[in-house]
Amino acid sequence: MDRVSSTMKQVSNPLPKVLSRRAGGGGLEAERESFERAQTVSINKAINAQEVAVKEKHARTCILGTHHEKGAQTFWSVVNRLPLSGNAVLCWKFCHVFHKLLRDGHSNVLKDSVRYKNELSDMSRMWGHLSEGYGQLCSIYLKLLRTKMEFHTKNPRFPGNLQMSDRQLDEAGENDVNNFFQLTVEMFDYLECELNLFQTVFSSLDMSRSVSVTAAGQCRLAPLIQVILDCSHLYDYTVKLLFKLHSCLPADTLQGHRDRFLEQFRKLKDLFYRSSNLQYFKRLIQIPQLPENPPNFLRASALSEHISPVVVIPAEASSPDSEPITDLVEMDTASQSLFDNKFDDIFGSSFSCDPFNFNSQNGMSKDDKDRLIEQLYGEIAGLKEELENFKAESTRGAVQLRGRASELEAELAEQQHLKQQAQDESEFLRTELEELKKQREDTEKAQRSLTEIERRAQANEQRYSKLKEKYSELVQNHADLLRKNAEVTKQITVARQAQGDVEREKKELEDSFQRVSEQAQRKSQEQAEVLETLKRELAASRQELQVVQGTLESSTQAGAEQNTRIASLEQERDRLSQAAEQHRDEMAALQAELQQLQDTLSREQENSRTELETLQTQLRDKESTERALQQRLAEEQLSLLQGTAREAERMVQDALTRMEDPAHISCTGSADCLLSRTLAASECAERLRDAHSKYLSDGAAVGSLLPCLALFAHLVSDTLLQGSATSHVAPVEPADRLLELCKQCGSAAVSYLSALQDPGTVASADCSLVTACLGQISTIGEELRPRGLDVRQEELGDLVDKEMAATAAAIETASARIEEMLSKARAGDTGVKLEVNERILGSCTGLMQAIHVLVLASKDLQREIVESGRGAASPKEFYAKNSRWTEGLISASKAVGWGATVMVDAADLVVQGKGTFEELMVCSREIAASTAQLVAASKVKADKDSANLCKLQQASRGVNQATASVVASTKAGRSQVEEKDSMDFSSMTLTQIKRQEMDSQVRVLELENQLQKERQKLGELRKKHYELAGVAEGWEEDAAD
C-alpha cells in the first residue's frame, strides 16, 4: 500500500501545480515579473566569474528576452548590479554576451545601450592598466564594442549582424562617392578593432599546448566566433566598396586605401588560417579561407573573380540543457497510464478498475467498518500528498534562503570593499592636508623672510648715498624678489593642483556615497520583502501542520481493528513532525543570520556616513585655507609689484637728477651708444607691455612682470644719462632737442611707474608715451651718428676678405725682403757687423713667421664666428649686420700689414747703416700692438670655449715673444756697435775736453727738451687716435653691449 500511495503521489501531484500556476499567472504584472526573474537568472548564469565559455542556451535566452521586451532594459538593469570593474573574467563574459545581443538581439538593443557608451570607455581605460591576464583583453574588447556601437549609430542601415545585399549596400551610400569613401574608412577602423582583438587573444594563449580543449582556453576563444562573423562581412563589403571607388576616383587618390586594405588582408588571412586549425572551432564553425592574393582593384574585371567569404555554423546537436520542455499535461497522462499498468501487474486488471471493491472478492456487502477504512485510506493519501507538497515547498524555501544569504554575503563583501576604498581615500586626503599645512608654514616663513629683507633694504638705502652702491643694492633686492616670486609661484601651482585633486576626490566620494546609499536602500527593501514572504510561508506551514495533526488525531480514534495500520501512520506522522520541526529550526537560524546581516549592514552604513561627514568637514577646512592662502598670495604679489615699481621709479628719478648735476656736464657719449641703449629700452618696453597685459588677465603672472619692470627702469636710466652725455658733444639745436626729449621720457617713465604702484590705476597704466619718446630720441641719435668708413655695408664682407688677404701678402713680402737682406748682409759684411745684422734679421724673420701664424688663426676664428652667427643669412649679410665689428677687423688688418711693411724698411736701413736701432724697436713694438688689436677684434664675438680662439691666443703669445726677441737682438747689436765705436779722449787737451763737455751738456738739455715735447706730442696723438678709432669703429657701442 505504501508503494501504491507513493505512486499515486508521484502521478497526481504535477497536474494541480501546473493548473494552479497557469491560473495564477494570467495578469500582465505577474507575467512581467516572471519574465524579469527568468532573464535575471539567465544573465547571471551566462555572466559569471567562472573561467569557462558562455553556455549557448543562456545567451540564447538573453537574446530571446530582448525580442520579447523589444529592447535591452532588463539586460542593463541586471548588468549594472554586476561588479564588472572588479573581476576581469566577469567583464570578459559580459563583453561576449553583449556582442551577441548587438548582433542577434532586437534592433532597439543599440538604442538602449548608447547611453552606457561612456561607462564602457571608462572601464576600457581602467582595464588597460593591467598588462596580464584578462585586463588587456577586456580593454580591447570594450573598445571594439564601442566602435561597433558608433558604426551602427552613424550607419543605421547596417543591421547588427552586418548581413546586407548588394542593393542595400548601394543604398547605404546613397550613390554618393563621398559617402562611399567615408563608409570605407569607417569599415577599415571597425575591422582594425576586430583584428586587434583577434591578435591579442592569440598572443595571450600558449599555442604550444592544446589550449582549445581546456576550459580557460575556450573561455578566451569563444568570443572570436562573433569576431569571425563580423570580419567576413566587413572584408566582403570593403572589397566591393573599393572596386566601386576605383571606378569613380583616380588610383592615386585611393593609394592609402589600398595600402590599408593590403595590411588588413594579410592579418585576416593569417588569423583565419590559424583559427581553422584549432580543435575548438572545428566543431562549432566552418571558417572560410581567403584567396592566395588580394584583389587587384586597378582591374575592374577582377570584381567578377571575387568570392564572398561565407561562415558556416553547423546544426547544433541536441543537448540535455537545450531540449524543449514537454507539456506537463501530456506528461501527466503518460504517468497515469504507467501507474495503471503497474497497478494491474500487482492487483490484476479487475482490481485496477476498482481497487477497493471488496464485494467482488468475497461477495460480502459493505458495512460501516469498510466505509470507514476506505475513508481513512483516502484521508491518508491526501495527507501524504499535502505532506510531500509541504516538504517540497520547505526544501525550495530553504534553497532560496540559502541563495539569498549567499547574495547578502556577496553584497556585504562588496560593502566592506567600498568601506576599505573610502578609508584609503580618507587616508590620502589626510596626507594631502598635512602637506598643505607644511606648505602654509613654508609660506609664512617666506613672508617673514621677505619682511626681513625689505627692512634690510630700507636700512641699506638710508646707509648708502652713492648711486653706484645704491644700484648694486637694488639689483640684489631685485634678485631676491625674483627668487621669492619663483617660490611663491611654485607654491601657487602646487596649491592649485592640490585643490583640483581635492575637488575631484570630493566628487568621487559624493558619487560613491550616493551609490552606497541607493544600494543600501534597495537591499533593505528586498530583505524586508523576503522576510515578509518567509513569515507568510511559515504561518501557512504551521496552519497546514495543525490541520495534519488534527486529522491524525481524528484518525487515531477510529476502529481498533486498524490499530496496527494507524500505528504505522503515527510513526510516519512523527517522522514528518520531526522534519517540520527541523525545517522550523532552519528557518529560525536563517532569520537570525538575516537579522545579523541587516545589523552589520546598518553599522557599516553608519560608519561610512560618519567618515563621509568627517571628510566633507576636512574638505571645507582645506578650501577655506586655500582661499586664505590665495588671498595672501595676491597681497604679496601686489606688494612685490609696488616695491619693484617704487625702486624702478627711484632709479629713473635718480637718472633725471644726475642730468641736472653739474658734475655730469663733463661726461660725453657717442650717438652709436645712445642708439644701442634706445633700441634696448624700446624692446624692453614692448616686453613690459606684454607682461603687463598678461598680469591684468592673470594675477599669477606677476613673475614675468617684475624682471621686465626692473630691466625697463635700468635701460631707461641708461638711455637718459647717455642722451644727456651725447648732447654735450652735439650741435646746439639737436642737443637742446635731445635733452628735452630725455626729460620728457623720464617724466613719462616716472608717471607710468607711479601708476603701477596704485591698485586703482594699475589697469590703466600705459607706457606708450615712453615708447614714443624713445623713438624720437632714436631719430635724433641717427642724425648725430657718424658715418664711419666710406664703404657701403654690402661691400664690407668683400673688404674684410681683401684686407686679410692684403695683410697676409704684405707679411709674405716682408719675409721675402728680410731673407733677401740677410743674403746680401752675408755676402757683403764681415765681423761684428755681420753678426749684428744676422741676429737682427733672424729675429725679424721669426717675428714675421709668428705674425703669419696669427693671421691664419685669425682667419679661421673669423670664419667660425661668421658660420655660427649668420644662421640662414650669407656671410656678407652677417658682416653688414655687424658693421662696427667688421670695421674693427678691417682697421686691425690694415695696421698689421702697414706695421710689417714699416718694420722691413727700418730693418733695411739698419742693415745699410742708414737707420737707427731705436726705429727698429719702435716698429717691432707697433706691429705687436697692431696684432694685439687684431686679436681683440677677433675675440669680441668668439665663443670662449672655441678651439680656434685658443689657437689665436697662443699665436698672439708667440708674436709677443718674437717682438721681445727683436727688441733684445736690437739692443744687443746696439751694445756691440757702441763697444766697437768706444770714445778715445787720450789725445785731447783740457780745453778741448771742457769744450766737448759743454757741448754735451747743451746737447743733453736740447735732447731733454725735445724729448719732453715729443712725449707731449705722442700723448696728444694717441688721444686723438683713440677718439677717432672709437667713433669710427664703434668701440663704445661694443663696450656697452
Side-chain angles (χ1 to χ4, degrees), residues 565-581:
R565 297 176 182 173
I566 291 174
S568 64
L569 292 175
E570 286 178 353
Q571 292 177 359
E572 188 173 358
R573 182 198 63 186
D574 294 337
R575 184 171 56 80
L576 293 174
S577 299
Q578 292 176 0
E581 189 67 27

Side-chain angles (χ1 to χ4, degrees), residues 533-547:
T533 304
L534 293 175
K535 287 181 179 179
R536 289 195 299 270
E537 292 177 356
L538 184 59
S541 300
R542 288 176 178 175
Q543 292 178 0
E544 291 177 359
L545 184 59
Q546 291 176 0
V547 172

Side-chain angles (χ1 to χ4, degrees), residues 671-802:
D672 290 328
C673 186
L674 175 62
L675 289 175
S676 65
R677 295 295 88 195
T678 306
L679 179 60
S682 300
E683 294 176 353
C684 182
E686 293 296 331
R687 293 196 298 271
L688 179 61
R689 184 183 292 108
D690 297 338
H692 188 200
S693 302
K694 292 180 181 178
Y695 172 71
L696 294 178
S697 59
D698 183 10
V702 70
S704 60
L705 179 60
L706 296 180
C708 293
L709 203 60
L711 182 61
F712 171 76
H714 169 68
L715 293 177
V716 168
S717 300
D718 283 355
T719 302
L720 297 180
L721 295 176
Q722 190 65 34
S724 176
T726 305
S727 66
H728 296 159
V729 296
V732 177
E733 183 178 355
D736 293 340
R737 287 191 291 115
L738 180 60
L739 194 61
E740 184 64 26
L741 284 175
C742 289
K743 292 180 180 179
Q744 291 179 5
C745 181
S747 301
V750 169
S751 300
Y752 173 67
L753 295 174
S754 299
L756 290 179
Q757 299 176 28
D758 188 1
T761 59
V762 171
S764 60
D766 188 11
C767 62
S768 58
L769 184 59
V770 179
T771 306
C773 293
L774 290 174
Q776 295 177 2
I777 292 173
S778 178
T779 302
I780 296 177
E782 288 289 346
E783 296 177 358
L784 298 176
R785 182 179 180 184
R787 299 307 175 189
L789 296 174
D790 295 332
V791 181
R792 292 182 300 172
Q793 289 188 349
E794 52 268 22
E795 298 177 359
L796 286 175
D798 297 335
L799 187 58
V800 170
D801 296 335
K802 291 179 181 178

Side-chain angles (χ1 to χ4, degrees), residues 645-666:
R646 191 181 303 111
E647 295 300 332
E649 180 185 1
R650 191 173 303 165
M651 187 183 299
V652 176
Q653 194 66 43
D654 288 342
L656 291 174
T657 304
R658 286 190 61 193
M659 289 175 59
E660 303 296 335
D661 190 359
H664 184 65
I665 296 176
S666 59

Side-chain angles (χ1 to χ4, degrees), residues 771-991:
T771 306
C773 293
L774 290 174
Q776 295 177 2
I777 292 173
S778 178
T779 302
I780 296 177
E782 288 289 346
E783 296 177 358
L784 298 176
R785 182 179 180 184
R787 299 307 175 189
L789 296 174
D790 295 332
V791 181
R792 292 182 300 172
Q793 289 188 349
E794 52 268 22
E795 298 177 359
L796 286 175
D798 297 335
L799 187 58
V800 170
D801 296 335
K802 291 179 181 178
E803 289 297 333
M804 294 298 290
T807 302
I811 292 172
E812 292 177 357
T813 302
S815 299
R817 287 185 60 189
I818 291 173
E819 290 294 335
E820 183 180 357
M821 286 187 291
L822 183 58
S823 300
K824 291 181 179 180
R826 289 173 179 173
D829 297 334
T830 58
V832 176
K833 185 175 182 181
L834 177 60
E835 182 181 356
V836 170
N837 291 339
E838 284 181 347
R839 186 185 298 115
I840 293 174
L841 293 178
S843 61
C844 290
T845 303
L847 178 60
M848 289 297 128
Q849 293 176 353
I851 293 173
H852 181 69
V853 172
L854 183 137
V855 171
L856 294 178
S858 176
K859 283 184 178 181
D860 296 336
L861 180 60
Q862 174 190 345
R863 189 179 304 107
E864 179 184 348
I865 293 171
V866 173
E867 290 297 328
S868 62
R870 67 187 180 90
S874 63
K876 292 183 179 181
E877 292 175 352
F878 177 83
Y879 285 125
K881 182 179 179 181
N882 301 273
S883 58
R884 296 299 179 188
W885 176 72
T886 305
E887 291 170 0
L889 280 178
I890 294 172
S891 176
S893 300
K894 286 183 176 180
V896 171
W898 173 82
T901 303
V902 172
M903 189 185 73
V904 171
D905 294 337
D908 190 12
L909 293 176
V910 169
V911 171
Q912 294 177 6
K914 299 178 181 179
T916 61
F917 293 97
E918 290 78 8
E919 183 177 1
L920 184 59
M921 287 190 290
V922 169
C923 288
S924 62
R925 289 170 180 169
E926 184 65 26
I927 196 170
S930 300
T931 54
Q933 179 183 353
L934 180 61
V935 171
S938 301
K939 188 178 178 181
V940 169
K941 292 187 176 294
D943 187 6
K944 62 180 182 179
D945 297 329
S946 174
N948 290 325
L949 178 60
C950 294
K951 293 180 181 179
L952 181 64
Q953 293 175 345
Q954 186 176 0
S956 176
R957 287 192 291 270
V959 170
N960 291 332
Q961 294 175 1
T963 302
S965 177
V966 171
V967 173
S969 300
T970 305
K971 288 182 178 180
R974 183 177 60 183
S975 299
Q976 288 182 356
V977 172
E978 288 177 352
E979 289 176 357
K980 181 180 178 181
D981 298 335
S982 59
M983 293 177 291
D984 186 13
F985 303 115
S986 58
S987 59
M988 296 179 64
T989 63
L990 178 63
T991 303

